[in-house]
Amino acid sequence: MRIIAATNRDPQKMMADKSFRQDLYYRLTAFPVTVPPLRERKEDIPDLAEFFLKSIDDGDNQIPLSPEVIEKLLSYSYPGNVRELRNLVQRAVILAGNST
């Protein structure tokens, strides 16, 4: 069995103050994977935006990812990370209605 877990808390600090089990921490950290925030991997933004558009019915027809749109998407820091980009794309499709 494999488990993938993520947190926005510091598990080592939580272990120190006894709010996270030490044995569980060591089981989960057998193979740590660190994913940098979206603001540090801007090259992923166009592909992610395209993926989110295609996951929405007719989204890629309503919101073409022109160079101007990509440039705008790349200029933002995304403090909400990938989730924020997804929500932004969904919002754009909703606001576009049936037009581009």
Side-chain angles (χ1 to χ4, degrees):
M1 174 168 55
R2 302 274 186 253
I3 296 175
I4 297 174
T7 182
N8 63 350
R9 298 181 184 168
D10 182 352
Q12 290 178 326
K13 182 177 182 229
M14 292 173 66
M15 269 191 331
D17 57 7
K18 308 275 191 236
S19 60
F20 195 84
R21 286 181 23 203
Q22 188 176 27
D23 67 309
L24 180 57
Y25 172 79
Y26 289 113
R27 289 176 190 200
L28 292 173
T29 59
F31 186 80
V33 177
T34 303
V35 179
L38 189 56
R39 68 182 165 274
E40 293 178 13
R41 47 191 180 98
K42 297 251 183 191
E43 66 278 0
D44 291 347
I45 291 173
D47 290 335
L48 286 168
E50 190 70 43
F51 171 80
F52 294 139
L53 274 175
K54 288 182 179 181
S55 70
I56 300 169
D57 290 337
D58 242 6
D60 51 341
N61 290 331
Q62 291 173 286
I63 311 289
L65 288 179
S66 66
E68 296 82 19
V69 171
I70 296 293
E71 185 178 325
K72 203 68 158 161
L73 290 173
L74 291 172
S75 70
Y76 186 62
S77 67
Y78 299 96
N81 227 333
V82 175
R83 219 176 269 129
E84 185 174 8
L85 174 62
R86 183 197 63 207
N87 292 344
L88 188 140
V89 169
Q90 288 176 339
R91 191 175 316 120
V93 170
I94 291 167
L95 291 175
N98 291 328
S99 62
T100 54

